[in-house]
Amino acid sequence: MSNNLTLEIVTPQSKLLSKEVDYVTIPSELGELGILPGHIPLLTNLSSGVLSYKNSSEEKKVAVHFGYAEVCQDKITILASTAELAEEIDVEGAKTDQQKAESELAEVYKSTDKLDQALELQQQIQMAVTRQNAAQ
Amino acid sequence: MATLKDIQLRMSSIKNTMQITKAMKMVAASKMRRAEEAITNSRPYSEKLKAIISNLSDGVDQSAHPLLKKREGGKAVVLLISTDRGLCGGLNVNLCKKLNSFMPDQSNGFDVVELVTFGKKGTEFFKNRAGNIAESFRDLKEAEMADALQSKVRDLIQQYIDGEFNHLYLAYNRFNNVVSQTPIIKQVLPIEPPATEDSDADAGTQFIFEPSGMAILNAILPQYVENQAFTGLLDNNASEHAARMTAMDAATNNASDMLAKLQIQFNRARQAAITSELIEIISGAEAV
């Protein structure tokens, strides 16, 4: 058993990150999961949340939104629909996105026939919140 | 015999055309670089997705999921991704011809075919041919096209689950490299789980699925289909620019060859004119 994990984050647009790390927390659909070296093979859905990793030199956060995580032989692959490194996040933009989506959602709730839209807006809000959390 | 003036006119018109083809080649080259980058960036994701699906599908009953279950006969839908603009060599024609011979082939296991076309060229090719076009998207910007494709694929997946048709194919040009693109017709639905790559160490490993294998499958399979369509679009896009670049390069070369030939013709004609004028003067002088 090695002492290191390899973390790889890929999105449909690019390969965001590939790094040796000691410890990773991933935002799975059922809650946060901490992964240490030697973890049993695991495949899980991701929700929108903050992924954080730690190695000897740094401790960093990444916002990941929906997708899958595969843990296999000390290799973690994150397939996210979208992902952003914490330092690249536009916090102001995320805040305005959140406000916009929230006000739209309030509108949608007034009528009952737009459930699909409500779900989508809720996801948008969640993503905006995640981005702000990751940037902190 | 062409006069000097005729040749000159011809040369200047060729020069104009050459300037246009040269500029188009340059534009296509820079667009291709971007498209190529997009496609290379997207490949890791699709490969990983494929690997996960092949891992997953080993563990579950193949007929358990509607997107995996095979159904015979019935209707097939083909998503044809072509380009909006021409002047890109035989790119669209090759693809359309391949599709044209593929569609009436009953041995593929379907009876009727319906086309959904993206891009003007494919639509025009099949307008007067067999295979009815159910819907077509054309003259859209790149991002709009991707959105349109995504929402269409989502609709199609739902329709497939509802049993409205039994096969979904994707036809596009695969970008191999700058000089080679291959027309591809790929079955997307029902999903045939990709064969596990033997070199991969994690083949056959027993995974824990959270929340459950089925739940992940439910979410990941539609995404796999969408991703295939998306990469198809990227591939076709890169192919378009690459093909246009090659075509325009060839056109520029042809134009400069032609110019060289005309230049020689022009010089000869000019010399002939001078010679005949000299003869006239000399014989005039002798006569005096």
Side-chain angles (χ1 to χ4, degrees):
Chain A
M1 194 180 88
S2 76
N3 295 320
N4 264 338
L5 284 164
T6 319
L7 172 68
E8 227 172 61
I9 302 179
V10 289
T11 69
Q13 278 77 37
S14 66
K15 191 174 199 168
L16 194 71
L17 189 94
S18 178
K19 247 188 197 145
E20 293 277 303
V21 295
D22 296 331
Y23 173 72
V24 186
T25 9
I26 52 178
S28 93
E29 213 175 54
L30 300 179
E32 294 238 309
L33 277 177
I35 313 278
L36 284 165
H39 199 283
I40 196 166
L42 168 84
L43 192 60
T44 180
N45 286 354
L46 295 180
S47 71
S48 168
V50 183
L51 174 149
S52 59
Y53 63 88
K54 198 156 75 172
N55 61 14
S56 47
S57 58
E58 56 185 359
E59 189 174 348
K60 284 232 165 106
K61 287 176 178 171
V62 185
V64 294
H65 312 292
F66 311 105
Y68 314 92
E70 184 196 51
V71 184
C72 190
Q73 302 191 336
D74 290 341
K75 190 163 186 264
I76 304 179
T77 316
I78 309 283
L79 289 172
S81 310
T82 48
E84 273 175 301
L85 299 176
E87 53 266 33
E88 288 170 3
I89 291 174
D90 169 16
V91 183
E92 288 305 311
K95 261 184 199 155
T96 47
D97 282 354
Q98 186 188 352
Q99 280 158 6
K100 210 174 125 204
E102 271 169 357
S103 58
E104 273 176 45
L105 188 63
E107 283 295 312
V108 169
Y109 275 147
K110 284 177 191 161
S111 58
T112 45
D113 54 336
K114 292 183 188 162
L115 269 175
D116 292 352
Q117 238 179 324
L119 264 175
E120 203 173 295
L121 284 167
Q122 276 165 353
Q123 278 191 356
Q124 278 178 21
I125 294 173
Q126 199 184 353
M127 281 166 71
V129 172
T130 302
R131 291 169 72 201
Q132 290 171 49
N133 286 342
Q136 272 163 20
Chain B
M1 174 70 195
T3 65
L4 279 180
K5 189 75 185 157
D6 287 340
I7 298 176
Q8 247 171 343
L9 275 177
R10 194 109 198 264
M11 276 170 75
S12 75
S13 109
I14 290 174
K15 259 183 209 153
N16 279 338
T17 312
M18 195 167 111
Q19 261 166 359
I20 294 170
T21 55
K22 212 173 184 175
M24 278 182 80
K25 180 196 148 192
M26 238 94 103
V27 171
S30 80
K31 279 193 177 161
M32 189 202 69
R33 255 196 298 277
R34 241 183 307 146
E36 196 182 356
E37 203 179 286
I39 188 100
T40 37
N41 280 339
S42 79
R43 288 249 157 94
Y45 184 85
S46 14
E47 265 151 35
K48 273 285 153 199
L49 207 55
K50 216 191 250 177
I52 288 187
I53 292 206
S54 70
N55 272 335
L56 254 175
S57 55
D58 286 346
V60 292
D61 180 16
Q62 299 259 334
S63 61
H65 198 277
L67 293 181
L68 290 169
K69 202 170 166 183
K70 288 193 179 73
R71 297 193 296 236
E72 285 305 311
K75 194 165 87 172
V77 174
V78 178
L79 276 176
L80 170 63
I81 303 178
S82 63
T83 70
D84 269 334
R85 273 179 254 171
L87 290 181
C88 48
L91 194 74
N92 291 312
V93 176
N94 288 344
L95 179 66
C96 291
K97 273 192 184 152
K98 187 168 178 180
L99 188 58
N100 203 22
S101 59
F102 168 83
M103 286 198 306
D105 195 348
Q106 300 285 340
S107 61
N108 292 317
F110 48 77
D111 307 322
V112 217
V113 188
E114 208 175 80
L115 273 173
V116 178
T117 58
F118 288 83
K120 198 157 85 184
K121 291 288 156 184
T123 320
E124 278 167 4
F125 186 92
F126 284 103
K127 210 153 55 183
N128 302 319
R129 283 183 173 81
N132 45 14
I133 299 178
E135 208 175 348
S136 64
F137 299 84
R138 49 193 278 180
D139 294 323
L140 294 172
K141 289 201 192 82
E142 251 170 67
E144 291 169 351
M145 193 71 109
D147 287 345
L149 181 68
Q150 193 182 33
S151 60
K152 184 70 208 168
V153 169
R154 278 189 190 154
D155 289 351
L156 283 173
I157 292 172
Q158 194 50 50
Q159 284 171 18
Y160 181 83
I161 293 174
D162 296 342
E164 283 178 34
F165 61 94
N166 291 345
H167 308 266
L168 179 66
Y169 293 90
L170 190 66
Y172 64 97
N173 281 292
R174 192 188 150 81
F175 178 81
N176 301 329
N177 54 47
V178 180
V179 286
S180 124
Q181 301 90 31
T182 13
I184 279 186
I185 298 170
K186 188 156 83 176
Q187 178 177 323
V188 185
L189 285 173
I191 295 169
E192 281 178 0
T196 322
E197 271 146 53
D198 43 9
S199 61
D200 227 345
D202 52 35
T205 324
Q206 213 52 54
F207 276 87
I208 297 180
F209 300 119
E210 236 188 60
S212 69
M214 212 48 187
I216 295 179
L217 217 52
N218 275 337
I220 207 171
L221 287 179
Q223 192 147 27
Y224 180 58
V225 177
E226 275 175 39
N227 184 260
Q228 278 184 319
F230 178 67
T231 42
L233 186 68
L234 289 181
D235 254 313
N236 198 69
N237 206 352
S239 301
E240 177 191 353
H241 295 308
R244 179 163 303 128
M245 195 180 89
T246 332
M248 288 302 115
D249 189 41
T252 313
N253 285 341
N254 287 345
S256 66
D257 285 354
M258 217 153 154
L259 264 186
K261 267 185 205 147
L262 280 176
Q263 184 71 51
I264 291 173
Q265 232 182 66
F266 175 79
N267 289 348
R268 285 209 184 117
R270 181 175 152 272
Q271 197 152 25
I274 292 171
T275 317
S276 69
E277 205 174 318
L278 270 178
I279 290 172
E280 271 165 31
I281 292 172
I282 293 169
S283 53
E286 272 172 0
V288 172

